[in-house]
Coordinates of all heavy atoms in Angstrom, one line a residue:
G1 N 0.8 -1.2 0.0 CA 0.0 0.0 0.0 C 0.9 1.2 0.0 O 2.0 1.3 0.5
E2 N 0.4 2.3 -0.6 CA 1.1 3.6 -0.7 C 0.2 4.7 -0.9 O -0.8 4.7 -1.7 CB 2.1 3.5 -1.9 CG 2.9 4.8 -2.1 CD 3.8 4.7 -3.3 OE1 3.3 5.0 -4.4 OE2 5.0 4.4 -3.2
N3 N 0.4 5.8 -0.1 CA -0.2 7.1 -0.3 C 0.8 8.1 -0.7 O 1.9 8.1 -0.1 CB -0.9 7.6 1.0 CG -2.2 6.9 1.3 OD1 -2.7 6.1 0.5 ND2 -2.7 7.1 2.5
I4 N 0.5 8.9 -1.7 CA 1.5 10.0 -2.0 C 0.7 11.3 -2.1 O -0.5 11.4 -2.3 CB 2.2 9.7 -3.4 CG1 1.2 9.7 -4.5 CG2 3.0 8.4 -3.3 CD1 1.8 9.5 -5.9
A5 N 1.5 12.4 -1.9 CA 0.8 13.7 -2.0 C 1.9 14.8 -2.3 O 3.1 14.6 -2.1 CB 0.2 14.1 -0.6
V6 N 1.5 15.9 -2.9 CA 2.4 17.0 -3.2 C 1.7 18.3 -2.8 O 0.5 18.4 -3.0 CB 2.8 17.0 -4.7 CG1 1.5 17.2 -5.6 CG2 3.8 18.1 -5.0
G7 N 2.4 19.2 -2.2 CA 1.9 20.6 -2.0 C 1.5 20.9 -0.6 O 1.3 22.0 -0.3
Y8 N 1.5 19.9 0.3 CA 1.0 20.1 1.7 C 2.2 20.4 2.6 O 3.2 19.6 2.7 CB 0.2 18.9 2.2 CG -1.1 18.7 1.4 CD1 -1.1 17.9 0.4 CD2 -2.2 19.5 1.7 CE1 -2.2 17.7 -0.4 CE2 -3.3 19.3 1.0 CZ -3.4 18.4 -0.1 OH -4.5 18.3 -0.8
A9 N 2.2 21.6 3.2 CA 3.4 22.1 3.9 C 3.7 21.5 5.3 O 4.8 21.6 5.8 CB 3.3 23.6 4.0
D10 N 2.7 20.8 5.9 CA 2.9 20.2 7.2 C 2.2 18.9 7.3 O 1.3 18.5 6.5 CB 2.5 21.2 8.3 CG 1.1 21.7 8.1 OD1 0.2 20.9 8.0 OD2 0.9 22.9 8.1
A11 N 2.5 18.2 8.4 CA 1.9 16.9 8.7 C 0.4 16.9 8.8 O -0.3 16.1 8.3 CB 2.6 16.3 9.9
A12 N -0.1 18.0 9.6 CA -1.5 18.0 9.8 C -2.3 18.2 8.5 O -3.4 17.5 8.3 CB -1.8 19.2 10.7
S13 N -1.8 19.0 7.6 CA -2.6 19.2 6.3 C -2.5 18.0 5.4 O -3.5 17.7 4.8 CB -2.0 20.5 5.6 OG -0.7 20.3 5.3
V14 N -1.4 17.3 5.3 CA -1.4 16.1 4.5 C -2.2 15.0 5.0 O -2.9 14.3 4.3 CB 0.0 15.7 4.2 CG1 0.7 15.0 5.4 CG2 0.1 14.7 2.9
I15 N -2.2 14.8 6.3 CA -3.0 13.8 7.0 C -4.5 14.1 6.8 O -5.3 13.2 6.5 CB -2.7 13.6 8.5 CG1 -1.3 13.0 8.6 CG2 -3.7 12.7 9.2 CD1 -1.1 11.6 8.1
A16 N -4.9 15.4 6.9 CA -6.3 15.8 6.7 C -6.7 15.5 5.2 O -7.8 15.1 5.0 CB -6.5 17.3 7.1
A17 N -5.8 15.8 4.3 CA -6.1 15.6 2.9 C -6.3 14.1 2.6 O -7.3 13.7 1.9 CB -5.0 16.1 2.0
W18 N -5.4 13.2 3.1 CA -5.6 11.8 2.9 C -6.8 11.3 3.6 O -7.5 10.4 3.0 CB -4.3 11.1 3.5 CG -3.1 11.1 2.6 CD1 -3.1 11.4 1.2 CD2 -1.8 11.0 3.0 NE1 -1.8 11.4 0.7 CE2 -1.0 11.1 1.8 CE3 -1.1 10.7 4.2 CZ2 0.4 11.0 1.8 CZ3 0.3 10.6 4.2 CH2 1.0 10.8 3.0
Q19 N -7.1 11.8 4.8 CA -8.3 11.4 5.5 C -9.6 11.8 4.7 O -10.6 11.1 4.7 CB -8.4 12.1 6.8 CG -9.6 11.7 7.7 CD -9.7 12.4 9.0 OE1 -8.9 13.4 9.2 NE2 -10.6 12.0 9.9
G20 N -9.5 12.9 3.9 CA -10.7 13.3 3.2 C -10.9 12.6 1.9 O -11.9 12.8 1.1
S21 N -10.0 11.6 1.5 CA -10.2 10.9 0.3 C -10.4 9.4 0.6 O -9.6 8.8 1.4 CB -8.9 11.0 -0.5 OG -8.9 10.1 -1.6
T22 N -11.4 8.8 0.1 CA -11.7 7.4 0.4 C -10.6 6.4 0.2 O -10.3 5.6 1.1 CB -12.9 6.9 -0.4 OG1 -14.0 7.8 -0.2 CG2 -13.3 5.5 0.0
G23 N -9.9 6.5 -0.9 CA -8.8 5.6 -1.2 C -7.7 5.7 -0.2 O -7.1 4.8 0.3
H24 N -7.3 7.0 0.1 CA -6.2 7.2 1.0 C -6.6 6.8 2.4 O -5.8 6.1 3.1 CB -5.9 8.7 1.1 CG -5.4 9.3 -0.2 ND1 -6.2 9.7 -1.2 CD2 -4.1 9.6 -0.6 CE1 -5.5 10.2 -2.2 NE2 -4.2 10.1 -1.9
Y25 N -7.8 7.1 2.8 CA -8.2 6.8 4.2 C -8.3 5.3 4.4 O -7.9 4.8 5.5 CB -9.6 7.4 4.4 CG -10.1 7.3 5.8 CD1 -9.4 7.7 6.9 CD2 -11.3 6.6 6.1 CE1 -9.9 7.6 8.2 CE2 -11.8 6.4 7.3 CZ -11.1 6.9 8.4 OH -11.5 6.7 9.7
Q26 N -8.7 4.6 3.4 CA -8.8 3.1 3.5 C -7.4 2.5 3.7 O -7.2 1.6 4.5 CB -9.5 2.5 2.3 CG -11.0 2.8 2.3 CD -11.7 2.3 3.5 OE1 -11.5 1.2 4.0 NE2 -12.6 3.2 4.1
N27 N -6.4 3.1 3.0 CA -5.0 2.6 3.2 C -4.6 2.9 4.7 O -4.0 2.0 5.4 CB -4.1 3.4 2.3 CG -3.8 2.6 1.0 OD1 -4.2 1.4 0.9 ND2 -3.1 3.3 0.1
M28 N -5.0 4.1 5.2 CA -4.5 4.5 6.5 C -5.1 3.6 7.6 O -4.5 3.4 8.7 CB -4.9 6.0 6.8 CG -4.2 6.9 5.8 SD -4.9 8.6 5.8 CE -4.2 9.2 7.4
I29 N -6.4 3.1 7.5 CA -7.0 2.4 8.6 C -7.2 0.9 8.3 O -7.8 0.2 9.0 CB -8.4 3.0 8.9 CG1 -9.4 2.8 7.7 CG2 -8.3 4.5 9.3 CD1 -10.8 3.2 8.0
N30 N -6.6 0.5 7.2 CA -6.7 -1.0 6.7 C -6.1 -1.9 7.8 O -4.9 -1.7 8.2 CB -6.0 -1.2 5.4 CG -6.4 -2.5 4.8 OD1 -6.7 -3.5 5.4 ND2 -6.3 -2.5 3.4
T31 N -6.9 -2.8 8.3 CA -6.4 -3.6 9.4 C -5.5 -4.7 8.9 O -4.9 -5.4 9.8 CB -7.7 -4.3 10.1 OG1 -8.4 -5.0 9.1 CG2 -8.5 -3.3 10.8
V32 N -5.4 -4.9 7.6 CA -4.4 -5.9 7.1 C -3.0 -5.4 7.3 O -2.1 -6.2 7.5 CB -4.7 -6.1 5.6 CG1 -3.6 -6.9 4.9 CG2 -6.1 -6.7 5.3
Y33 N -2.8 -4.1 7.3 CA -1.4 -3.6 7.5 C -1.0 -3.6 8.9 O -1.8 -3.2 9.8 CB -1.3 -2.2 6.9 CG -1.7 -2.1 5.4 CD1 -2.5 -1.0 5.0 CD2 -1.2 -3.0 4.5 CE1 -2.8 -0.9 3.6 CE2 -1.5 -2.9 3.2 CZ -2.3 -1.9 2.7 OH -2.6 -1.8 1.4
T34 N 0.2 -3.9 9.2 CA 0.8 -3.9 10.5 C 2.0 -3.0 10.7 O 2.4 -2.7 11.8 CB 1.1 -5.3 11.0 OG1 2.1 -5.9 10.1 CG2 -0.1 -6.2 11.0
R35 N 2.7 -2.7 9.6 CA 3.9 -1.9 9.6 C 3.8 -0.8 8.6 O 3.0 -0.8 7.7 CB 5.1 -2.8 9.2 CG 5.4 -3.9 10.2 CD 6.5 -4.8 9.7 NE 6.2 -5.4 8.4 CZ 7.0 -5.3 7.3 NH1 8.1 -4.5 7.3 NH2 6.7 -5.9 6.2
G36 N 4.6 0.3 8.8 CA 4.5 1.4 7.9 C 5.6 2.4 8.2 O 6.4 2.3 9.1
A37 N 5.6 3.5 7.4 CA 6.5 4.6 7.6 C 6.0 5.8 6.7 O 5.3 5.6 5.7 CB 8.0 4.3 7.2
I38 N 6.4 7.0 7.0 CA 6.1 8.2 6.2 C 7.3 9.0 6.1 O 8.1 9.2 7.0 CB 5.0 9.0 6.9 CG1 3.7 8.2 7.0 CG2 4.7 10.3 6.1 CD1 2.5 9.0 7.7
A39 N 7.6 9.5 4.8 CA 8.7 10.4 4.5 C 8.2 11.7 3.9 O 7.1 11.7 3.3 CB 9.7 9.7 3.6
H40 N 9.0 12.7 4.1 CA 8.6 14.1 3.6 C 9.8 14.7 2.9 O 10.9 14.6 3.5 CB 8.2 14.9 4.8 CG 7.9 16.4 4.5 ND1 8.2 17.4 5.4 CD2 7.5 17.0 3.4 CE1 7.9 18.5 4.9 NE2 7.5 18.3 3.6
M41 N 9.6 15.3 1.8 CA 10.7 16.0 1.1 C 10.2 17.3 0.6 O 9.1 17.5 0.2 CB 11.2 15.1 -0.1 CG 12.3 15.7 -0.9 SD 12.9 14.6 -2.2 CE 11.6 14.9 -3.4
Y42 N 11.1 18.3 0.6 CA 10.8 19.6 -0.1 C 12.0 20.1 -0.8 O 13.2 19.6 -0.5 CB 10.3 20.6 1.0 CG 11.1 20.8 2.2 CD1 12.3 21.6 2.3 CD2 10.7 20.1 3.4 CE1 13.0 21.7 3.5 CE2 11.4 20.2 4.6 CZ 12.6 21.0 4.6 OH 13.3 21.1 5.8
D43 N 11.8 21.0 -1.8 CA 12.9 21.4 -2.7 C 13.1 22.9 -2.7 O 12.4 23.6 -1.9 CB 12.6 20.9 -4.1 CG 11.3 21.5 -4.7 OD1 11.0 22.6 -4.3 OD2 10.8 20.9 -5.6
G44 N 14.0 23.4 -3.5 CA 14.3 24.8 -3.6 C 13.2 25.7 -4.1 O 13.3 26.9 -3.9
D45 N 12.2 25.1 -4.7 CA 11.0 25.9 -5.1 C 10.0 25.9 -4.1 O 8.9 26.5 -4.3 CB 10.4 25.3 -6.4 CG 11.3 25.6 -7.6 OD1 12.2 26.5 -7.5 OD2 11.2 24.8 -8.6

């Protein structure tokens, strides 16, 4: 499973965006998953 996003400047806003989308949210609360991680990158622009 994988969620991706671009343009959200902080953790709260990206989590809220994923929560507001059915596909993202189902990944986040799927009981099949037991392990995970989240990474964040920003650039010169």
